Amino acid sequence: MRLLAVSSLGTVSLRDLHLGDSRVVVSRGGNWPAASRRNVVAAPVAWVGPGEAPRIRLIGAADEPADVPGTLLESGSAIAPGITHYVLWSPTAGSLALVQPRDGSLELRLWTDGMPQSRRLVAGAPIFASFSDDGSRLAIHHGGMDGARLTVVDMTTGDPGGVRLVRHGVGGFGTPGFARGGQVVAWAEPSGTRLRLRAADLAAGRIIDGPAVEGQVRFIPGPQGDELGVAVVAPREAPMFDRLLAWEPLTGSVRTVHRGRFLAAWRSPGPDLVALALPGFSVESRIHIAFCDASGRELGRLEPFVPSPAMQLALAFFDQFGRSHNPWSPDGTWFVVGGRALRDGPFPLFGPPEPDRIMGVCVSEAGLRPLRWQVLADGTVGWVL
């Protein structure tokens, strides 16, 4: 099992947890690296010394590291503290969508292996993007002169002009959701005092009205099949969610998978499971991870943990980071977080803080023995490749 790990200093390493080997791919200043299906790591790197400036560096298994063209920024530029660029690989091809600051705003660019230069798709903030499961389309929720909009890019043409505008005036959601591979894309629109879920059947060219909800919504990351997972914010519980729905746009079916307060949700790419981040009750803001099946039946939960700063960001924007930096392993057997478990000792008020660790649990063993965190490496955040 291979682990992509990031330390508090921004050291990015690739570890083989079976053999015990470790390879440092970024010595310092790395932030939010992501690996493609071709085992190429796209690592945003901040300033690390004289003459260095933020950029995205590509690290493969054999080739020398190379910079993604068009990603070099002015020294000190960043999207937010600790984030110079945001990267999102296509699930099937060697295409990289990336967000970076430019001219006081944010822009989303696209680069494919072999292209001499990345190209800009849209500008405006906020920018939330997702690839369809088959990699054929890229949906972008972004700002514009006339308000928020949803744009869908056809990835099969490779034509910079092959951008299809789906809708103006969208809002109340984060990252767009896809169903049926890439045939259906979903979003939310204000409707009076509520939100209306809507979807577009891109193959048939028609708009589908979905259910109305109160509060904001988030489409949960992970393979969707015919159904979309939708987390619904309780108006009086914000920023908590109080319901997890399964919505099938083409049939209109809506069912409740989970009811109760939660902070984030991720659908497994393997077995039909959903991981839920449940709020704890302590001064440290501890969090429980629980696993549910497709019907919402809880299969087990882990001891609480205190998320690392990077993990807190991944929780707050789970619908986006869950697509680019999935806490599930590709086969759905492992779930990984960054932070400190209950057994790591008291929180900093009572003494020196414990270091953050990358912890995982083998979910495939659920039912065989109690679920328990295993320490995989020191670090603030990591992902199983």
Side-chain angles (χ1 to χ4, degrees):
M1 187 171 71
R2 300 173 69 229
L3 181 74
L4 183 62
V6 183
S7 76
S8 59
L9 296 177
T11 301
V12 180
S13 59
L14 280 168
R15 302 168 180 262
D16 189 312
L17 298 179
H18 295 306
L19 300 177
D21 296 338
S22 180
R23 173 192 172 201
V24 174
V25 296
V26 176
S27 59
R28 185 180 177 187
N31 58 98
W32 292 103
S36 73
R37 290 289 178 90
R38 299 175 180 176
N39 292 320
V40 177
V41 176
V45 182
W47 179 89
V48 295
E52 291 284 340
R55 68 195 67 192
I56 296 177
R57 189 152 288 168
L58 295 172
I59 301 106
D63 298 334
E64 288 295 318
D67 294 340
V68 177
T71 63
L72 186 65
L73 305 177
E74 295 182 1
S75 297
S77 297
I79 298 172
I83 306 180
T84 59
H85 304 73
Y86 169 78
V87 293
L88 172 67
W89 283 103
S90 166
T92 55
S95 296
L96 182 70
L98 59 103
V99 179
Q100 63 187 31
R102 185 74 69 188
D103 300 327
S105 183
L106 297 178
E107 66 177 6
L108 187 143
R109 303 181 69 87
L110 186 68
W111 177 83
T112 300
D113 189 17
M115 288 176 58
Q117 181 70 23
S118 60
R119 59 184 174 89
R120 186 171 77 172
L121 292 179
V122 297
I127 297 180
F128 300 94
S130 62
F131 282 102
S132 59
D133 289 346
D134 63 0
S136 65
R137 293 184 170 97
L138 174 68
I140 310 163
H141 178 202
H142 62 105
M145 296 298 292
D146 51 356
R149 64 175 63 178
L150 175 69
T151 298
V152 176
V153 181
D154 187 342
M155 297 292 296
T156 61
T157 64
D159 179 8
V163 176
R164 177 176 180 176
L165 181 66
V166 174
R167 206 74 170 175
H168 289 276
V170 300
F173 73 104
T175 304
F178 276 104
R180 295 192 171 229
Q183 179 182 344
V184 177
V185 62
W187 65 93
E189 290 183 19
S191 178
T193 60
R194 311 181 77 189
L195 283 178
R196 172 73 65 180
L197 298 182
R198 285 198 165 92
D201 184 341
L202 298 173
R206 65 187 180 98
I207 302 297
I208 303 166
D209 285 340
V213 297
E214 296 184 10
Q216 296 188 342
V217 300
R218 294 291 182 268
F219 297 104
I220 71 169
Q224 303 299 317
D226 294 343
E227 290 183 328
L228 285 153
V230 186
V232 181
V233 173
R236 293 175 295 279
E237 296 285 348
M240 297 284 186
F241 300 93
D242 73 338
R243 282 174 297 157
L244 178 60
L245 306 178
W247 171 41
E248 190 172 349
L250 295 187
T251 65
S253 170
V254 180
R255 60 187 178 89
T256 299
V257 177
H258 174 82
R259 186 179 293 276
R261 301 169 72 207
F262 65 98
L263 294 165
W266 306 265
R267 181 171 282 171
S268 168
D272 198 358
L273 298 175
V274 174
L276 294 170
L278 308 176
F281 299 94
S282 73
V283 291
E284 288 189 277
S285 300
R286 293 188 186 274
I287 288 174
H288 300 263
I289 297 296
F291 300 101
C292 302
D293 63 15
S295 67
R297 180 171 60 97
E298 185 173 317
L299 303 178
R301 67 174 65 188
L302 290 123
E303 62 182 298
F305 78 100
V306 179
S308 66
M311 191 69 202
Q312 291 176 28
L313 183 66
L315 284 163
F317 297 96
F318 74 92
D319 58 325
Q320 184 64 64
F321 281 90
R323 288 172 165 82
S324 57
H325 300 79
N326 196 339
W328 286 99
S329 63
D331 62 0
T333 60
W334 281 83
F335 189 87
V336 177
V337 300
R340 294 180 291 113
L342 184 63
R343 61 182 180 270
D344 286 333
F347 64 101
L349 180 62
F350 296 115
E354 292 284 340
D356 287 321
R357 295 180 171 92
I358 300 168
M359 303 180 297
V361 61
C362 186
V363 185
S364 64
E365 297 178 1
L368 301 180
R369 61 180 178 81
L371 295 176
R372 183 176 175 83
W373 291 119
Q374 300 179 42
V375 176
L376 304 179
D378 288 337
T380 61
V381 69
W383 308 274
V384 173
L385 307 183

